[in-house]
Amino acid sequence: MDDFQQTIYENVVFPDPDFPVIFHCDTLDREDRFVMHWQDSVELLYFLSGSARVMSDSQLEECRAGDVAVINSTCLHLVQAGSDSCQYYCLIVDRDFLESQGLPVGEIRLRLRVSDGMVREYFDQIVREMLEREPFYRTMAKAHILGLAACLCRRFAESRSLSTPAQDKRLTMVKTAMRYIQEHLTEDLDIGKVSAAAGFSKYYFCRGFKEVTGRTVVDYLNFIRCSHARRLLATGRYNVSEAAERSGFSNLSYFTRTYKRYMGTLPSREEREP
């Protein structure tokens, strides 16, 4: 599994344990394609321009400039551009750090889309510290992050469950299936094997998987395999045949056609010199 990059479960690694924060600015285009994934950390997206559809477990929100999307810990989520492109700041904060400060982010569910002046003010202060990097900026950034998290917990915690028991069951089923696909990507997988691993009949599994992810199981599996092959080709250590085999494709012709469909180009064009 060394070549796999945890496509589904994102194992966030913070370079500095004393500053368990990841911050960057992202631009998302309409044609960009991502898979649903989840992580233990809390992720906050502060939109600067354009619009995006943010899906988190059973919720779907349209976010625009000035909105903050809150991805709760362990929620299965996906971000897609709603306009030709959108730009946003991404702030990922370790859940253990927040909980050690008395903020129960693992126990409560925060509202997905927040449009609030105080929240934006906290986020602007965080952005300023992270970009200008004046003396003690990490200490100041942590203070503002805690203020932002406390504001969200105090004012934007949902008072009721946003999903039904049936929805919760489907989400658990899909997460189990995704993890199984990730761990057995190079094997001869079919819907029967994946549905059995998830513990449901093929009919219920296929219907529920499509409802949650918006993709069929086969579509999802092919996209994951092609994405993995693209990462292998980008390293320069594998040729097209090796990348195909290591990504679960036994037929090179089928791999080439499938890769062109999902990645928009031929795999031979992404092959790098070692």
Side-chain angles (χ1 to χ4, degrees):
M1 292 292 292
D2 291 342
D3 289 328
F4 290 84
Q5 299 297 316
Q6 298 280 354
T7 304
I8 311 307
Y9 170 75
E10 188 176 358
N11 184 24
V12 179
V13 177
F14 299 100
D16 184 353
D18 292 328
F19 190 64
V21 173
I22 292 174
F23 173 83
H24 49 82
C25 187
D26 289 332
T27 299
L28 186 63
D29 296 327
R30 192 186 293 275
E31 63 268 20
D32 289 336
R33 299 186 69 189
F34 294 94
V35 295
M36 299 189 76
H37 61 285
W38 76 92
Q39 71 236 355
D40 292 323
S41 304
V42 176
E43 184 172 353
L44 305 173
L45 309 177
Y46 182 19
F47 288 91
L48 305 174
S49 64
S51 65
R53 291 181 293 272
V54 183
M55 181 177 182
S56 180
D57 280 356
S58 59
Q59 295 178 272
L60 178 64
E61 289 280 2
E62 182 90 10
C63 294
R64 300 183 181 276
D67 291 342
V68 173
V70 182
I71 310 299
N72 289 278
S73 173
T74 73
C75 281
L76 197 63
H77 62 278
L78 174 71
V79 182
Q80 295 177 319
S83 52
D84 289 340
S85 69
C86 66
Q87 190 175 47
Y88 57 89
Y89 287 116
C90 176
L91 178 68
I92 302 175
V93 187
D94 183 46
R95 185 179 76 176
D96 290 341
F97 165 68
L98 294 174
E99 291 184 334
S100 71
Q101 302 302 308
L103 299 169
V105 292
E107 301 174 8
I108 61 176
R109 180 185 290 268
L110 300 173
R111 187 182 303 175
L112 174 55
R113 184 182 72 87
V114 174
S115 185
D116 178 78
M118 183 177 295
V119 169
R120 284 192 290 269
E121 184 177 343
Y122 273 119
F123 222 123
D124 287 337
Q125 291 172 327
I126 295 166
V127 170
R128 188 177 305 112
E129 293 295 339
M130 296 300 293
L131 294 183
E132 296 179 359
R133 299 196 168 209
E134 295 184 355
F136 313 110
Y137 79 93
R138 289 188 172 186
T139 301
M140 290 294 292
K142 282 201 291 187
H144 295 315
I145 289 169
L146 289 175
L148 171 60
C151 177
L152 291 170
C153 290
R154 174 182 287 178
R155 301 177 57 199
F156 299 101
E158 299 286 356
S159 59
R160 58 182 177 83
S161 174
L162 297 176
S163 59
T164 66
Q167 289 172 327
D168 289 338
K169 183 170 72 170
R170 284 197 297 270
L171 289 169
T172 299
M173 175 190 72
V174 169
K175 288 182 180 180
T176 301
M178 287 179 167
R179 193 179 294 276
Y180 180 82
I181 289 172
Q182 176 182 312
E183 293 173 349
H184 300 269
L185 194 61
T186 61
E187 300 175 13
D188 182 21
L189 289 178
D190 57 34
I191 293 175
K193 290 180 181 178
V194 179
S195 61
F200 293 88
S201 69
K202 286 197 291 186
Y203 174 76
Y204 180 87
F205 171 70
C206 290
R207 186 180 63 180
F209 193 94
K210 179 69 179 294
E211 288 176 354
V212 171
T213 68
R215 298 176 183 267
T216 66
V217 182
V218 173
D219 182 47
Y220 179 83
L221 177 59
N222 282 334
F223 182 75
I224 291 296
R225 283 176 162 168
C226 289
S227 297
H228 181 247
R230 170 176 273 182
R231 287 194 296 272
L232 294 182
L233 292 170
T235 67
R237 301 199 304 268
Y238 306 94
N239 61 33
V240 172
S241 296
E242 292 168 334
E245 182 179 357
R246 286 176 172 266
S247 301
F249 291 96
S250 57
N251 184 297
L252 186 58
S253 177
Y254 176 72
F255 167 67
T256 300
R257 294 196 309 272
T258 305
Y259 192 96
K260 177 66 165 61
R261 175 187 173 192
Y262 287 92
M263 299 293 108
T265 187
L266 294 171
S268 57
R269 294 187 177 179
E270 303 203 280
E271 194 172 1
R272 303 286 180 87
E273 291 295 332

